[in-house]
Amino acid sequence: MINKKIKFEIENLVKVLNEYSYQYYVEDNPKISDTKYDILYKRLEKLEKDNPELIKRNSPTQRVGDKILNKFRKAKHTVPMLSLSNTFSKEDLLKFDKKIKKNLNINNIEYICELKIDGLAVSIKYKDGILYEASTRGDGKIGEIITENISTIFSLPKELNRKENIEVRGEVYLPKKSFELLNEEIKNNNKKIEIENEKIEKENKIKKLKNLNLINKIKLQPLFANPRNAASGSIRQLDSKISSQRKLSIFIYNVIDSNQKTQEENLIYAKKLGLPINSNYKIFKNINDVLNYIDYWENNKQNLTYDIDGIVIKINDIKLQDMLGNTIKSPKWATSYKFPEQELVTKLVDITYSVGRTGMITPVAILEPIEISGSTITKASLHNKDVMEKLDIRIGDTVIVKKAAEIIPKVVKVMKEFRNKNSKTLVFPIKCPSCGQMLKKDEDTSFIFCTNNKCKQKNIKKIIHFSSKNAMNIEGLGDKQVELLFSNNIIKTVVDLYKIKKEDLLKIDRMGEKLATKILDSIEKSKISSLDKVIYSLGIPNVGEKSSKTLSEKYKNLQNFINCRFEELKNLDDFGDIMSNSIVNFLHQEENLNLITDLIKLGINPEYKDNNIKNSIFYKKEVVFTGKLSLITRNKAKSALEKIGARVSSSVNNKTDYIIYGEKPGTKLEKAKLMKINIISEQEFYKILSEINNEK
């Protein structure tokens, strides 16, 4: 029989502790000391241990799972997790504002500005108000399921204030205090390890004299470079107990299809549900006030208890957001202003020369280690020969290094007043650092290239690109594996991948049976890659994934593609002179033609699957979904439309031809009615799909 008194105490403790957690983690306004919180928490733990039938699912004690995962499962995002475009100057932001006004044909735009949290983007789903799935951004389309780890975040409710079925997007971060405590803990553990390693070293000396097996030393754990890296590493732990110890936090910045009219209402709605939002957002009627807001936070960001690296600027009105829509990578109605990175002084130790897959030679500065924005920097880009000569950079120089949009920071200035008088002018190599062949300069770009088809580094980079996830997706074949295969003379070109035998792989150090089988199976599987993936894998300069899809639809197979002409290419959507010339030049090189011919001989010549049914009402039309579909999943519906030649978009705009609505449709349906767009119910859509399938 349930003890009502104990039941009441447990329910009250759960409620009180969750409220205290919200005040501490979200509002940054603790109403109770850590000691008192711990006393209440331990009391709840004891009551739950003695009365397991009374444990509530939203209890703060139930945040850590018992399972240790072997690997993360994949999850396809129902709505792609787009990344924001970046601006790095006030001028760029003014251009962004001008472009929006021009495209919408209005003079006044209301913007909402939010702090850009330096963390990791995640998607979280609630069913009947209960948290049931969370995943990382991944590539924007497919992420990894991290539900167990997200559940350890005290600022995130496991149960909402209402029984809603919603998906939210947020940024997981590590507060500055948690970051400091984490690194302090690592330092203390490393001290203990060092003491243990001293004992091991002494024991090994004794064992060496007796010819016995030696004991391996324990590896020290490196400190985290910055809170962002720590947050990213913590949320991807296979053991959620480790994640729970890191004291992560989260801010929710969007509720998908919430039916709110503005982004501000979206945030208010999220807060009403009990979700943590960042309260430092502001609404502005003009871009000048936005610039003032940016200046304020650039000067005051150090006062926050978490790191920010910029400001996110969005159109507040969701109808206007829908009208502008998105590019394939980012929304047109939002951008982020990135704070300028600090410039630091260090010394140039050396210069190396990197060979890319196109043969382009890039000079790289090797530096005395410095810290920029929490990251240890030892390399910086020198871009090309002309930049090197303009800087007049020399070994031993004192240089100024800056990190902004680039992944690798760059040297921006040489402090010649500190230069050694005996320093010598550097001469850009005339021969390839990898193969020794004479280099050539491209007159149009000023870049220097190695044109040797047999250049080792050039071919290694080509194979790495060919095998990459967005190309032929050969699993298990990363950068290190490709270099090992090359070093062991197992492969020299892309085509050699398809000639590898298991016995060749097993000769390589640390290459076990399991990994060898995985690589060979993945290589074989890559033979049935779609035509657009094969075209992208060729590594044609200026040709990306989207362009590869357009080319596959136009030319249907590799044989036709080989014979493409400049004028044809130039007339394709989003193809200009530069890309068209790049493709023609690529296909005029014997080495590249031989590669394509060899792939065809290997059976890698997929036909573009032209399942487009030209008499279908959706053929070559743009379609948008809204509301919940019950007869078919959103992903299957999208796939079915794409197979019959339709384009599926996430926003309603002037290009939209049809909108298909399910249960509880949002503002998209209202907008479609105002714009007199064709409207189809899910039932009608399902019937049309069934008729098409029967015709096949």
Side-chain angles (χ1 to χ4, degrees):
M1 187 176 174
I2 294 174
N3 187 315
K4 290 183 179 180
K5 188 177 177 182
I6 292 174
K7 182 175 182 288
F8 176 79
E9 187 178 359
I10 287 175
E11 287 174 350
N12 190 53
L13 281 169
V14 168
K15 182 184 176 184
V16 168
L17 287 169
N18 282 337
E19 284 176 359
Y20 286 145
S21 291
Y22 189 87
Q23 290 157 359
Y24 182 89
Y25 291 103
V26 182
E27 297 179 342
D28 196 23
N29 183 28
K31 297 289 178 71
I32 189 173
S33 69
D34 289 351
T35 305
K36 287 181 180 177
Y37 181 93
D38 288 341
I39 291 169
L40 293 174
Y41 189 91
K42 284 173 183 175
R43 171 63 180 163
L44 177 60
E45 273 187 320
K46 185 180 184 310
L47 289 173
E48 288 178 339
K49 185 179 179 182
D50 296 339
N51 304 273
E53 72 281 1
L54 296 178
I55 295 175
K56 295 179 70 64
R57 60 189 168 199
N58 65 331
S59 170
T61 66
Q62 301 303 300
R63 288 191 172 269
V64 182
D66 296 326
K67 282 185 184 177
I68 297 178
L69 304 174
N70 295 319
K71 64 176 182 178
F72 292 109
R73 292 184 294 116
K74 303 286 185 183
K76 190 168 184 178
H77 298 303
T78 49
V79 176
M81 290 190 74
L82 302 177
S83 55
L84 289 169
S85 61
N86 292 321
T87 56
F88 297 91
S89 68
K90 304 288 177 66
E91 291 74 23
D92 285 345
L93 211 51
L94 291 170
K95 287 177 185 175
F96 169 78
D97 175 60
K98 188 177 179 180
K99 187 177 180 181
I100 280 178
K101 287 174 179 174
K102 182 182 176 182
N103 289 340
L104 290 172
N105 195 26
I106 52 178
N107 295 322
N108 298 309
I109 300 286
E110 185 176 79
Y111 291 109
I112 180 168
C113 292
E114 302 168 34
L115 303 187
K116 188 174 182 297
I117 311 301
D118 197 11
L120 183 78
V122 294
S123 171
I124 304 163
K125 294 177 182 177
Y126 286 86
K127 191 172 184 179
D128 293 329
I130 307 298
L131 193 161
Y132 79 95
E133 186 180 279
S135 56
T136 60
R137 182 203 295 275
D139 63 3
K141 296 176 183 176
I142 297 173
E144 292 178 322
I145 295 175
I146 50 163
T147 314
E148 294 284 336
N149 294 346
I150 280 288
S151 297
T152 67
I153 299 175
F154 272 82
S155 57
L156 184 73
K158 292 181 73 176
E159 188 171 356
L160 300 175
N161 294 334
R162 303 177 189 173
K163 292 186 176 181
E164 298 277 9
N165 295 324
I166 60 164
E167 179 179 356
V168 298
R169 301 281 163 83
E171 196 84 7
V172 174
Y173 67 95
L174 194 68
K176 291 176 183 177
K177 186 179 178 182
S178 298
F179 174 70
E180 290 165 8
L181 290 171
L182 176 58
N183 268 348
E184 193 61 40
E185 187 180 337
I186 292 171
K187 284 179 187 176
N188 293 334
N189 285 338
N190 282 344
K191 285 178 183 176
K192 293 175 185 176
I193 290 170
E194 284 170 354
I195 294 167
E196 191 63 32
N197 280 340
E198 285 177 15
K199 292 178 183 176
I200 289 170
E201 197 171 343
K202 288 177 184 176
E203 198 170 334
N204 278 342
K205 283 180 182 178
I206 297 167
K207 288 195 169 190
K208 199 170 184 180
L209 294 171
K210 295 181 180 179
N211 292 320
L212 294 173
N213 290 330
L214 301 180
I215 305 168
N216 291 327
K217 285 187 177 182
I218 306 165
K219 286 185 179 180
L220 298 175
Q221 184 184 347
L223 298 177
F224 284 105
N226 52 54
R228 190 188 190 283
N229 287 356
S232 180
S234 301
I235 205 66
R236 293 194 72 259
Q237 291 291 328
L238 293 170
D239 185 354
S240 63
K241 287 178 183 176
I242 297 174
S243 299
S244 70
Q245 293 163 5
R246 302 283 172 86
K247 300 190 184 302
L248 294 164
S249 201
I250 189 171
F251 286 124
I252 301 301
Y253 57 79
N254 192 20
V255 182
I256 303 298
D257 291 333
S258 67
N259 295 329
Q260 307 301 312
K261 292 181 180 179
T262 66
Q263 169 62 7
E264 184 183 26
E265 288 178 13
N266 215 341
L267 292 172
I268 292 168
Y269 172 59
K271 190 173 182 179
K272 282 179 181 176
L273 294 174
L275 292 163
I277 65 162
N278 191 297
S279 59
N280 289 304
Y281 67 85
K282 286 277 185 182
I283 307 293
F284 298 109
K285 302 289 185 182
N286 62 73
I287 197 68
N288 291 325
D289 288 341
V290 170
L291 298 179
N292 292 333
Y293 179 83
I294 287 169
D295 288 339
Y296 174 82
W297 282 112
E298 195 171 339
N299 295 321
N300 290 278
K301 60 182 178 179
Q302 69 277 2
N303 298 326
L304 294 166
T305 57
Y306 46 85
D307 281 343
I308 62 171
D309 59 354
I311 302 296
V312 176
I313 302 99
K314 303 174 184 175
I315 293 177
N316 193 31
D317 190 316
I318 290 172
K319 279 188 179 179
L320 295 181
Q321 290 180 8
D322 289 341
M323 285 177 73
L324 281 176
N326 312 309
T327 68
I328 195 167
K329 291 182 179 178
S330 56
K332 295 178 182 178
W333 43 267
T335 191
S336 68
Y337 178 89
K338 298 272 282 194
F339 293 140
E341 296 281 354
Q342 65 185 120
E343 295 179 350
L344 290 178
V345 176
T346 186
K347 281 206 168 186
L348 180 76
V349 176
D350 196 4
I351 290 179
T352 61
Y353 298 89
S354 169
V355 186
R357 62 180 166 86
T358 61
M360 188 171 77
I361 310 298
T362 304
V364 179
I366 308 301
L367 310 167
E368 282 188 359
I370 47 169
E371 290 279 327
I372 297 182
S373 298
S375 298
T376 302
I377 303 299
T378 57
K379 293 180 181 180
S381 173
L382 289 168
H383 199 55
N384 60 25
K385 180 176 182 285
D386 288 356
V387 170
M388 252 184 76
E389 290 176 352
K390 189 177 179 181
L391 285 168
D392 183 26
I393 195 166
R394 303 180 187 184
I395 305 299
D397 272 350
T398 300
V399 296
I400 295 175
V401 179
K402 180 180 179 181
K403 185 180 178 186
E406 302 83 1
I407 295 171
I408 297 177
K410 61 182 179 182
V411 175
V412 292
K413 188 179 178 183
V414 175
M415 301 179 75
K416 293 179 182 176
E417 61 269 31
F418 298 114
R419 173 175 284 171
N420 187 321
K421 291 179 181 179
N422 298 321
S423 67
K424 294 180 180 179
T425 301
L426 291 172
V427 179
F428 201 92
I430 58 172
K431 292 183 178 181
C432 175
S434 174
C435 67
Q437 179 163 305
M438 295 295 290
L439 299 172
K440 290 186 179 180
K441 183 177 182 178
D442 183 283
E443 298 304 326
D444 295 327
T445 63
S446 297
F447 285 105
I448 308 294
F449 287 85
C450 170
T451 57
N452 180 13
N453 297 337
K454 295 181 180 178
C455 174
K456 179 181 175 180
Q457 280 304 315
K458 187 175 168 182
N459 279 310
I460 284 174
K461 296 287 176 62
K462 280 184 179 180
I463 296 169
I464 287 170
H465 173 77
F466 183 88
S467 309
S468 64
K469 187 175 182 180
N470 294 336
M472 300 297 270
N473 192 23
I474 301 176
E475 293 182 21
L477 205 59
D479 297 12
K480 288 181 181 178
Q481 284 74 25
V482 171
E483 288 183 12
L484 279 171
L485 290 172
F486 226 94
S487 302
N488 285 273
N489 296 314
I490 295 170
I491 58 171
K492 293 292 178 190
T493 66
V494 161
V495 174
D496 291 338
L497 288 170
Y498 297 94
K499 300 174 185 177
I500 298 173
K501 295 176 182 176
K502 186 180 280 189
E503 52 265 34
D504 295 330
L505 294 178
L506 294 176
K507 291 175 187 175
I508 299 173
D509 288 344
R510 298 182 182 178
M511 178 70 74
E513 179 88 23
K514 189 176 179 181
L515 180 55
T517 302
K518 180 182 179 179
I519 291 172
L520 290 174
D521 287 348
S522 194
I523 289 172
E524 190 61 30
K525 186 181 175 183
S526 73
K527 288 182 178 180
I528 57 170
S529 295
S530 59
L531 181 59
D532 60 296
K533 295 282 187 185
V534 177
I535 291 174
Y536 177 67
S537 74
L538 298 173
I540 305 170
N542 302 309
V543 175
E545 293 175 74
K546 186 181 177 183
S547 313
S548 298
K549 287 179 180 177
T550 303
L551 290 168
S552 68
E553 185 176 350
K554 169 70 177 172
Y555 293 104
K556 312 301 180 189
N557 59 45
L558 289 176
Q559 195 63 55
N560 293 338
F561 175 56
I562 288 173
N563 300 313
C564 69
R565 298 193 306 274
F566 175 80
E567 289 304 325
E568 287 176 349
L569 293 166
K570 195 176 154 185
N571 290 326
L572 294 174
D573 288 345
D574 299 324
F575 277 58
D577 287 356
I578 293 174
M579 193 190 298
S580 301
N581 265 322
S582 187
I583 295 166
V584 171
N585 291 338
F586 181 89
L587 294 173
H588 279 174
Q589 293 174 35
E590 186 180 355
E591 171 204 2
N592 299 326
L593 283 174
N594 289 341
L595 168 60
I596 295 171
T597 303
D598 287 340
L599 290 176
I600 292 171
K601 285 177 183 176
L602 285 165
I604 303 172
N605 187 22
E607 290 284 333
Y608 174 71
K609 293 181 180 177
D610 194 352
N611 292 323
N612 301 333
I613 300 176
K614 295 187 179 181
N615 59 3
S616 164
I617 62 169
F618 299 120
Y619 181 67
K620 294 289 184 184
K621 302 296 182 183
E622 188 156 309
V623 183
V624 172
F625 288 104
T626 184
K628 183 182 177 183
L629 302 183
S630 55
L631 299 173
I632 186 172
T633 66
R634 183 74 68 94
N635 287 336
K636 285 182 180 178
K638 181 175 181 284
S639 178
L641 281 172
E642 288 174 344
K643 285 178 181 177
I644 54 177
R647 296 184 301 274
V648 179
S649 176
S650 59
S651 59
V652 177
N653 52 48
N654 293 331
K655 293 181 180 179
T656 307
D657 297 295
Y658 290 93
I659 185 161
I660 297 167
Y661 69 93
E663 296 173 21
K664 296 182 180 178
T667 55
K668 292 178 186 177
L669 185 60
E670 294 173 20
K671 185 179 174 183
K673 288 176 182 177
L674 289 171
M675 296 176 72
K676 296 183 179 178
I677 291 167
N678 297 307
I679 297 169
I680 296 176
S681 69
E682 182 194 0
Q683 289 74 18
E684 290 174 287
F685 168 64
Y686 193 75
K687 185 180 177 183
I688 293 167
L689 279 188
S690 300
E691 288 170 357
I692 290 170
N693 290 329
N694 289 334
E695 285 176 17
K696 291 181 184 178

